[in-house]
Amino acid sequence: MQSRWNDIDAKAFEDAAIAAGQDPQLGLRVYTSRIVGADPDLVLHGGGNTSVKVTGADGEEIIHIKGSGWDLDTIEAPGLPAVKMAPLLAARDGDKLSDPDMVALLRANLLDPASPNPSVEALLHAFLPFRFVDHSHATAILALADQKDMGETVKRIYGDRLAFVPYVMPGFDLSIEADKVYRANTDCEGLWLENHGIFTFADTAKDSYDLMIEFVTMAEQELADKGAAPAGPQENDRHADEALLQRLENVLRGEGSPFTKTLYMDYRSTPAIRDYVSRTDVDDLSARGTVTPDHVIRIKPWPMIIGKDDSEQQIAVALAAYRERYEAYFRRNAARASEPKTILDTYPRVVVIRGEGMVALGATENAATIGGDLCEQATRAINAAESYGRFTPISEADLFDMEYWTLEQAKLKVAN
Ligand code: ZN
């Protein structure tokens, strides 16, 4: 992976921060957040997050952490709200917090109460004793992170440089677990989060960013050594069959559908997507889950699958089967939840057209585009994961916990 660091740009962001009366480190944080966000092989659409710890005007320690509703590639200083550090550190040694209580704690300690909600990974960032912390969901990392039992392999690739954190859903519990792993491995330069992504940290913006690029490059090398190098970002290079999309639309806009009023369809057919949708095991593979936990919020646990010559009636049968399967998934998992859950609409957000391509669905154009972008990256990661070993993302129960997480439901309302 190529570094996008440029001394002249870095200096310009530093100078702009000083001119605006901000800490120059915040300027550098904006800069490296943007170059992380500019690489679709590191993060996409609100994925990933970054932070910087600085000393406030009155000598108080504060952390600027990515706020919800901001994307890293276009972030500005207000997208990195400032939170007082001391109460966050106190939470580490206090009682277990529910995720809504954790959000309340973060909000209560914002310097500017009008700021957006700090990332749900804010405590994890706060606990790490480094000025800069970077977190990404890089394609090559996901191809390896979504394999079973990777602890020994991560050790072989990275030695003691990355410490392995077994899967825990993002939120308070992950912050505590990641902190425990860090404290047991204080010489490490980053954390490997099973089924999720990596964190890097250092006391300068450049060092933390450089580690991210280096660690992702090492993952790319591991995959390449096994003949499983992921393809890079690819353009859509084939047109949709408009008649098929029309038949699909007719079915999807039926009564009771979330798309009755508006339906945007984002058709993608890249070489990687065609490899994926042409696999004989695409039904099994696509049923396993999403490449990183937060994708389930946008694209549901699995796609609906249709054939390229399917009639409207055949598509209607596929939709009915999808909805039935989704309801069963909800019933199975809601039964073990500690609080009552309300089922979301049971329609797919992605449709696989065998041998041809994928269509991301949204009630807004933005939602459909985001879905399409996630599919584009996910298929590259999954193809590589399958070439390397076996694509094994989080379990159905973990997908459900993420999809029906109160905080994520709230985040989605803000995002759209
Ligand atoms: Zn993450």
Side-chain angles (χ1 to χ4, degrees):
M1 168 164 281
Q2 287 291 319
S3 167
R4 294 178 185 231
W5 176 276
N6 171 308
D7 286 335
I8 296 166
D9 291 347
K11 179 82 169 59
F13 275 87
E14 215 177 344
D15 290 346
I18 295 167
Q22 295 160 355
D23 193 301
Q25 301 295 335
L26 179 58
L28 288 168
R29 179 69 282 177
V30 171
Y31 172 58
T32 55
S33 300
R34 285 189 178 198
I35 56 176
V36 168
D39 196 324
D41 268 324
L42 280 176
V43 297
L44 282 175
H45 300 296
N49 41 61
T50 56
S51 66
V52 60
K53 301 176 185 79
V54 299
T55 307
D58 54 2
E60 191 172 32
E61 288 303 309
I62 56 179
I63 179 169
H64 288 273
I65 169 85
K66 196 197 116 186
S68 72
W70 287 81
D71 285 349
L72 289 179
D73 58 339
T74 51
I75 206 157
E76 296 169 28
L80 290 155
V83 191
K84 293 174 192 162
M85 274 288 284
L88 306 192
L89 293 179
R92 172 165 55 185
D93 306 313
D95 294 338
K96 175 182 160 61
L97 293 181
S98 70
D99 289 327
D101 285 348
M102 176 186 75
V103 172
L105 172 78
L106 294 171
R107 283 217 67 85
N109 290 290
L110 283 168
L111 265 62
D112 175 1
S115 298
N117 275 348
S119 161
V120 296
E121 278 152 2
L123 289 181
L124 203 172
H125 284 251
F127 296 163
L128 291 165
F130 295 87
R131 186 180 288 280
F132 288 88
V133 178
D134 291 62
H135 168 50
S136 83
H137 305 150
T139 311
I141 298 286
L142 293 179
L144 294 174
D146 286 323
Q147 304 279 339
K148 217 166 172 266
D149 302 330
M150 286 295 278
E152 288 307 312
T153 307
V154 168
K155 191 135 194 104
R156 168 173 61 72
I157 302 169
Y158 297 99
D160 293 332
R161 299 185 70 192
L162 277 180
F164 187 87
V165 184
Y167 181 77
V168 179
M169 193 172 91
F172 185 77
D173 293 346
L174 174 59
S175 302
I176 295 294
E177 283 310 309
D179 180 58
K180 279 186 195 152
V181 171
Y182 170 74
R183 290 211 245 180
N185 299 275
T186 50
D187 288 337
C188 72
E189 299 164 279
L191 299 175
W192 177 281
L193 272 60
E194 185 178 28
N195 300 134
H196 180 162
I198 58 169
F199 278 77
T200 57
F201 29 79
D203 286 326
T204 71
K206 184 168 190 303
D207 286 350
S208 186
Y209 173 77
D210 284 348
L211 283 171
M212 180 64 70
I213 302 301
E214 184 184 358
F215 290 150
V216 173
T217 303
M218 290 165 81
E220 288 171 344
Q221 192 56 53
E222 167 71 9
L223 290 163
D225 289 348
K226 301 273 158 45
Q234 298 168 330
E235 293 297 319
N236 194 32
D237 62 358
R238 203 180 270 182
H239 289 298
D241 172 349
E242 292 301 334
L244 174 64
L245 291 197
Q246 188 58 57
R247 296 197 294 277
L248 180 60
E249 178 170 352
N250 293 346
V251 173
L252 289 169
R253 297 192 69 169
E255 207 181 322
S257 157
F259 306 120
T260 310
K261 280 200 189 117
T262 51
L263 171 63
Y264 290 84
M265 303 171 95
D266 187 310
Y267 177 79
R268 305 278 175 120
S269 184
T270 63
I273 287 176
R274 286 194 296 278
D275 283 350
Y276 176 85
V277 301
S278 301
R279 297 177 63 105
T280 51
D281 62 349
V282 68
D283 298 73
D284 161 65
L285 188 56
S286 66
R288 289 183 210 162
T290 57
V291 293
T292 192
D294 64 337
H295 284 193
V296 73
I297 312 297
R298 307 253 190 207
I299 58 173
K300 299 225 169 191
W302 2 265
M304 173 170 114
I305 302 179
I306 62 172
K308 67 183 172 63
D309 299 317
D310 277 6
S311 65
E312 233 174 90
Q313 199 189 357
Q314 286 171 306
I315 296 171
V317 169
L319 177 63
Y322 183 94
R323 299 186 63 191
E324 207 169 291
R325 178 173 160 206
Y326 186 89
E327 281 164 26
Y329 151 82
F330 177 82
R331 281 196 304 272
R332 256 193 320 275
N333 291 286
R336 57 163 185 84
S338 54
E339 54 185 24
K341 300 288 181 190
T342 306
I343 193 164
L344 299 167
D345 79 71
T346 56
Y347 278 64
R349 290 298 179 276
V350 174
V351 179
V352 163
I353 303 166
R354 284 184 205 283
E356 291 292 312
M358 293 169 106
V359 191
L361 312 173
T364 64
E365 189 172 11
N366 191 39
T369 306
I370 289 173
D373 287 350
L374 298 188
C375 290
E376 200 276 325
Q377 185 203 15
T379 48
R380 291 187 290 109
I382 295 168
N383 291 344
E386 282 288 290
S387 300
Y388 182 85
R390 180 182 163 85
F391 173 60
T392 313
I394 54 173
S395 68
E396 177 186 284
D398 289 326
L399 283 165
F400 178 86
D401 288 347
M402 195 73 205
E403 189 181 5
Y404 281 87
W405 187 26
T406 16
L407 294 181
E408 282 300 329
Q409 294 297 299
K411 189 163 120 188
L412 199 65
K413 280 187 194 120
V414 174
N416 295 323

